Amino acid sequence: MENSKSTFNPVTNTAVVQGIKQLVSRIAAFSSDGSENKESPKEPPSPTERQLEEATQKLREAGEVYGHQDALYTLANMYFFGHYTQKCNAKLSYYYYQLLANNGDSSAQQMLGFIYSTGIGNAVKRDQAKALVYYTFAASGGNTAAEMTLGYRSLLGIGMGQKCDDAVYYYKQVAEKAVNYYLSGPPGGRSSPMAKVRLSDEDGGVYRYGTSGMSDKGYRGSSGNSEKSVSIEEVLQYWRYLAQTKADFEAQLTLGQVYYLGTRSIAQNFKDAHEFFQRVTSTMPSGKPTLAFISSKKGKAIGQAAGYLGKMYWRGEGVEVNVQTAYQWFELGSKLGDPVSKNGLGMMYMEGLVVPKNKEKAIDYFRKAANKENADAQVNLAVEYMKQESTLPLAIRLFTMAADAKHILAYWNLAQLNYAGVGLKASCQMAVSFYKSIAERGDWRSPIVETAYKQYKKGDREKALIYYMMAAEKGYEVAQSNVAYLLDTDKQLLKLEDWGFTKAPPQNTDAEELALIYWSRSANQNNVDSRVKMGDYYYRGIGTPVDYSKAAACYRVAAEMEFSSLAMWNLGWMYENGIGVSKDFHLAKRSYDNALATNPDAYLPVKLSLSKLYLRYYWEWLTGEDVGEGLQEASKESTSGIKESMDTLSQARRRKEIEANENEKTHWDINTEDELRRKYSKHLKQMEREEGDDYLDTKSGFRSNKEDEEDEEDELATDEIVESLMILTLCLVVGWLVYVRQFRFGMQREDNELPREPENREQRP
């Protein structure tokens, strides 16, 4: 068989063609059947199982006898991923990948690198040296996944020396492919892929709402209340009622944007988007718009809708491409001050579409749109400014502003400028961060993280785990944290088995060790929750022997460098009890105070901890033990450490912002479902307050931000009063319990000591 592998017969071979054709036909049969391959040894194989075996046999013949590459690759993937109802078999998949890799197939070499790196399926023992060899061969063959893996490993020094220049080399290869694919799309570039999902966010974060550092406060606030209980279908129905029945232009614009951009629950629908944008623009009054109308809400809404319609006709989204019509919509939008329309006109003047080429006019339109924070216009203007040395600083500033909006071309240009040190101080670290972000965001052709999430939503956690592990090897931090979260066995704060109510489940040592590895890798990419999780694992001995010193070190890094309130609290508790660190009430109080200063939501637990700390401090002081400095002196400098370290971490935080995979929830883009629910809830509250007024006034429909802020302040004030009463009650209860405990202890000591005194005297010589 070894000889037959080297002789590659072309596809014209009858057996190969027959095997591939039969496989394709069987795939369709399996998809339509939808039945699972259940184990039933007593029953004869079903027709589908017989067809699968027949197709598999043909593929084996084509691959093993005739050396057909596609047949071997299909077999390898079938056994590795369990395609076509086939059971997963890591050893068989390894065998077929090995046959392919021996013939120089870069995809197979990359998969072998992954198998050796993770030891998945126990096909081989984990061997990072062999993994590196296969990844290197695959990358030299142009395999994108291998290039990303080597870029990530070079950046963090995993299995090799830490070399930033090598990381730049590999990530630049992938970034260039992504940029070229982005520019190969319609005018203005391809739409961004769907944002990556952090699985822990669906449960409120690794440590749930109010505690997890990676979950945005706004997200936590809206996810925990009744807004989340409203289905998105109900919200959409409500907005459609306003848009279609009441002709509310804001509702029409909102729906147009939602259907144009799409969300995970709302499919992209250009036809509906076009309809709602048309409804908005149909209310445009005849004649030249006045300044008052241009600055009004309705004028701005019409301008935005016109900008979207211009893009749709230019890009051919839901309609046939019509550059002339696009120009007309851009003209209307530009008159109403819409930045998208101004940028569109600038591009048309720059390229000479519909209008004669006019670079000066194009730059003027770009400048006007850029002043209104349009990222596309900022990039277009920066590209022109970058051509002259005198305007290079302006170009860098524009690229930086566009990079804040996650514009892929801004990242590309800033990466090159940072690495070359042109107009900026040369920084390999910043350059590799930009290239890495492009590679991970621009994964149109290989959306492995999205594939993993789809498997997770389908309920196939095993396949989801495999895909997430493959993405984690490529350096996706969100995938690394998702792998760790799926493997994590430490999700409950209070466990019944710890109290003796239930029997503890058997430990899965391999899964725990693997979880710790991925928590560590995620933490090294600035995930603060993962850093705290590392501390928890070392503290509790999960996947590693118990090591309180390492736990304290993890908490200290998360507290002092990443400002985790939970890590600050944990560190304070360790200082208070002298676990992993020297006992120090002074530092314990400082840590507790810092936790409260960082996260005001931690008011109740911090105050209770401080109350306990004061009790312990004064008790040990009364009993003559060494308690160090006074606690009052500690409070004077408790929060100074946070403020002093801000400047030293600016570059690290900038890298974190660049490399962040998830959308910035602080912006609350209009296309998100949470924004729809929030507006829906606000609108209903407004209706309740208006008492008889026409709550569906088409001129407004939304309350002012000032009123919303006042409501939030009232709610916060009420919460603080309730929390204060709870704290006071708990303190009284704790004080009473301490008093009772000491009283009983004193009585027992007297009862035990008095009778023993005569006995002791008798025993003396």
Side-chain angles (χ1 to χ4, degrees):
M1 186 177 294
E2 211 40 49
N3 294 332
S4 64
K5 284 188 296 180
S6 59
T7 58
F8 174 76
N9 287 357
V11 184
T12 53
N13 187 287
T14 307
V16 175
V17 176
Q18 185 180 2
I20 299 297
K21 285 184 176 179
Q22 287 188 4
L23 176 66
V24 174
S25 63
R26 298 302 176 261
I27 294 172
F30 301 148
S31 300
S32 60
D33 182 28
S35 59
E36 297 181 1
N37 185 19
K38 299 180 181 179
E39 290 188 25
S40 51
K42 295 182 180 180
E43 298 180 3
S46 65
T48 300
E49 291 171 336
R50 287 197 298 270
Q51 290 173 345
L52 174 63
E53 181 59 34
E54 182 183 351
T56 304
Q57 188 60 39
K58 292 290 185 182
L59 283 170
R60 284 175 182 162
E61 182 182 354
E64 296 177 4
V65 178
Y66 299 102
H68 192 274
Q69 304 284 76
D70 289 343
L72 289 172
Y73 193 67
T74 302
L75 283 167
N77 285 341
M78 182 172 68
Y79 285 115
F80 187 85
F81 296 103
H83 290 164
Y84 319 130
T85 73
Q86 182 64 264
K87 293 180 182 178
C88 293
N89 189 321
K91 292 185 178 180
L92 271 177
S93 67
Y94 171 81
Y95 168 71
Y96 287 115
Y97 282 133
Q98 188 72 62
L99 292 180
L100 279 167
N102 291 342
N103 287 326
D105 187 286
S106 62
S107 296
Q109 290 166 346
Q110 184 269 328
M111 288 301 298
L112 286 176
F114 173 73
I115 291 171
Y116 273 110
S117 175
T118 59
I120 191 168
N122 295 319
V124 294
K125 289 185 179 180
R126 272 190 285 184
D127 190 328
Q128 298 301 328
K130 284 187 177 180
L132 185 59
V133 169
Y134 279 112
Y135 280 139
T136 304
F137 275 114
S140 64
N143 183 273
T144 301
E147 289 171 338
M148 288 186 70
T149 303
L150 288 179
Y152 167 66
R153 287 178 170 238
S154 300
L155 179 63
L156 295 184
I158 299 175
M160 59 195 305
Q162 192 172 6
K163 296 180 180 178
C164 184
D165 290 327
D166 287 355
V168 166
Y169 171 78
Y170 286 115
Y171 272 124
K172 185 178 180 181
Q173 306 299 315
V174 184
E176 189 171 8
K177 296 175 188 176
V179 169
N180 290 336
Y181 188 75
Y182 169 80
L183 294 174
S184 68
R190 296 182 183 274
S191 300
S192 299
M194 198 73 73
K196 279 65 175 177
V197 177
R198 197 177 297 277
L199 298 182
S200 57
D201 281 353
E202 297 191 341
D203 297 327
V206 174
Y207 293 101
R208 302 302 183 263
Y209 304 113
T211 308
S212 293
M214 294 299 290
S215 295
D216 185 79
K217 291 182 178 180
Y219 178 80
R220 295 197 302 264
S222 65
S223 299
N225 58 23
S226 60
E227 292 176 17
K228 204 73 175 178
S229 62
V230 182
S231 68
I232 194 64
E233 290 79 13
E234 183 179 344
V235 174
L236 275 179
Q237 185 179 3
Y238 175 76
W239 287 116
R240 279 186 169 274
Y241 166 75
L242 289 180
Q244 295 173 340
T245 307
K246 298 298 180 179
D248 188 311
F249 67 87
E250 288 190 343
Q252 291 167 349
L253 180 62
T254 297
L255 286 172
Q257 291 171 318
V258 166
Y259 284 121
Y260 180 80
L261 298 167
T263 69
R264 293 198 172 274
S265 300
I266 306 170
Q268 202 173 38
N269 190 325
F270 291 132
K271 182 180 177 182
D272 284 356
H274 184 271
E275 177 189 343
F276 285 113
F277 288 141
Q278 286 277 17
R279 284 173 180 258
V280 178
T281 57
S282 65
T283 60
M284 176 71 185
S286 58
K288 185 178 179 181
T290 62
L291 290 175
F293 180 79
I294 292 173
S295 59
S296 67
K297 285 186 177 181
K298 190 169 187 178
K300 292 177 181 178
I302 294 174
Q304 288 183 56
Y308 276 109
L309 288 171
K311 285 179 64 176
M312 294 178 77
Y313 277 102
W314 197 8
R315 295 163 61 92
E317 296 170 327
V319 293
E320 291 185 7
V321 174
N322 192 323
V323 183
Q324 183 66 46
T325 304
Y327 173 79
Q328 292 172 358
W329 284 118
F330 284 150
E331 271 282 300
L332 174 60
S334 179
K335 290 177 182 177
L336 296 173
D338 176 56
V340 173
S341 300
K342 292 182 183 296
N343 180 64
L345 287 177
M347 293 175 69
M348 286 185 164
Y349 274 107
M350 185 64 72
E351 297 175 16
L353 294 175
V354 183
V355 293
K357 275 191 177 183
N358 191 323
K359 187 176 180 180
E360 288 71 22
K361 271 194 173 184
I363 291 176
D364 185 54
Y365 276 117
F366 289 151
R367 188 183 296 110
K368 290 177 179 177
N371 289 337
K372 293 196 173 186
E373 300 182 353
N374 181 273
D376 291 325
Q378 288 168 344
V379 169
N380 290 333
L381 186 59
V383 169
E384 296 302 317
Y385 282 162
M386 194 169 59
K387 295 176 182 177
Q388 297 181 8
E389 187 176 352
S390 60
T391 53
L392 181 59
L394 286 174
I396 293 173
R397 190 167 64 184
L398 287 165
F399 279 137
T400 304
M401 289 190 290
D404 291 337
K406 312 303 177 188
H407 199 291
I408 191 171
L409 294 182
Y411 279 10
W412 174 253
N413 285 282
L414 284 174
Q416 296 180 85
L417 292 171
N418 272 280
Y419 192 66
V422 177
L424 293 164
K425 183 180 178 181
S427 173
C428 180
Q429 289 290 327
M430 292 298 291
V432 77
S433 295
F434 284 119
Y435 283 135
K436 183 176 185 289
S437 185
I438 295 171
E440 293 178 357
R441 291 174 185 276
D443 57 353
W444 290 277
R445 292 183 146 177
S446 181
I448 190 168
V449 179
E450 184 65 20
T451 303
Y453 182 69
K454 288 179 179 177
Q455 294 294 332
Y456 176 79
K457 296 304 287 185
K458 283 165 56 178
D460 195 337
R461 293 170 67 93
E462 185 176 344
K463 278 189 181 178
L465 182 62
I466 291 173
Y467 283 115
Y468 275 132
M469 287 177 69
M470 293 176 68
E473 277 292 298
K474 294 161 69 174
Y476 286 88
E477 184 279 317
V478 67
Q480 292 167 349
S481 66
N482 285 348
V483 170
Y485 190 71
L486 287 171
L487 295 172
D488 185 33
T489 58
D490 187 40
K491 290 187 174 74
Q492 291 179 315
L493 181 62
L494 297 175
K495 299 180 180 179
L496 295 177
E497 56 266 22
D498 292 343
W499 298 81
F501 292 108
T502 60
K503 188 178 180 181
Q507 276 190 308
N508 187 340
T509 308
D510 291 338
E512 290 177 350
E513 289 179 359
L514 203 58
L516 178 58
I517 289 172
Y518 284 105
W519 284 130
S520 303
R521 291 186 179 181
S522 174
N524 290 333
Q525 295 202 75
N526 301 312
N527 186 319
V528 60
D529 288 339
S530 297
R531 183 82 62 188
V532 178
K533 264 292 183 184
M534 282 178 64
D536 294 347
Y537 273 46
Y538 283 119
Y539 181 85
R540 297 178 183 176
I542 302 174
T544 181
V546 172
D547 193 325
Y548 295 131
S549 297
K550 285 186 178 180
C554 291
Y555 294 144
R556 186 177 292 109
V557 171
E560 296 177 359
M561 298 185 66
E562 297 169 326
F563 305 149
S564 166
S565 60
L566 180 58
M568 293 171 185
W569 190 93
N570 289 346
L571 197 59
W573 187 88
M574 297 184 85
Y575 276 123
E576 180 184 347
N577 294 279
I579 297 177
V581 293
S582 300
K583 190 173 182 180
D584 192 321
F585 288 130
H586 173 83
L587 291 178
K589 184 179 186 304
R590 175 183 295 183
S591 297
Y592 288 144
D593 287 342
N594 286 345
L596 182 58
T598 305
N599 184 7
D601 293 340
Y603 183 82
L604 179 59
V606 168
K607 289 300 182 182
L608 290 174
S609 299
L610 286 171
S611 300
K612 181 170 69 73
L613 178 66
Y614 273 105
L615 287 172
R616 288 192 63 177
Y617 172 82
Y618 287 115
W619 173 254
E620 294 190 13
W621 177 72
L622 288 171
T623 55
E625 295 187 31
D626 182 18
V627 293
E629 296 183 53
L631 294 182
Q632 297 302 325
E633 285 80 356
S635 63
K636 295 178 182 178
E637 48 181 301
S638 60
T639 59
S640 60
I642 293 179
K643 296 176 182 177
E644 291 171 0
S645 58
M646 287 293 288
D647 295 336
T648 60
L649 294 167
S650 58
Q651 187 176 19
R653 289 192 169 277
R654 178 60 178 157
R655 283 192 58 207
K656 182 177 179 180
E657 291 172 4
I658 294 167
E659 296 176 15
N661 283 291
E662 64 275 6
N663 280 348
E664 287 61 40
K665 294 189 178 80
T666 52
H667 290 89
W668 289 99
D669 295 332
I670 191 69
N671 62 306
T672 61
E673 298 164 21
D674 301 277
E675 174 71 0
L676 285 174
R677 287 191 176 97
R678 188 181 67 84
K679 284 191 173 183
Y680 168 79
S681 178
K682 280 187 177 182
H683 213 275
L684 291 183
K685 287 179 181 178
Q686 179 190 1
M687 289 162 54
E688 293 173 0
R689 287 182 173 89
E690 288 188 348
E691 296 182 356
D693 292 340
D694 184 11
Y695 57 82
L696 293 174
D697 179 13
T698 57
K699 292 184 179 179
S700 175
F702 299 95
R703 303 179 64 219
S704 66
N705 292 332
K706 186 177 179 180
E707 290 174 313
D708 296 330
E709 291 173 2
E710 290 174 355
D711 287 345
E712 291 174 2
E713 289 175 2
D714 292 341
E715 291 174 4
L716 286 173
T718 304
D719 291 342
E720 287 179 2
I721 293 172
V722 173
E723 287 179 359
S724 299
L725 291 173
M726 290 175 63
I727 291 171
L728 179 61
T729 304
L730 287 170
C731 288
L732 290 173
V733 171
V734 170
W736 180 76
L737 289 173
V738 171
Y739 170 76
V740 170
R741 182 179 179 279
Q742 296 301 325
F743 178 75
R744 289 172 122 189
F745 177 75
M747 294 294 293
Q748 288 176 3
R749 185 171 58 184
E750 289 178 5
D751 293 341
N752 292 333
E753 288 179 357
L754 288 174
R756 291 175 186 169
E757 207 167 289
E759 295 178 9
N760 292 337
R761 286 174 185 167
E762 289 176 5
Q763 292 174 1
R764 291 176 185 172

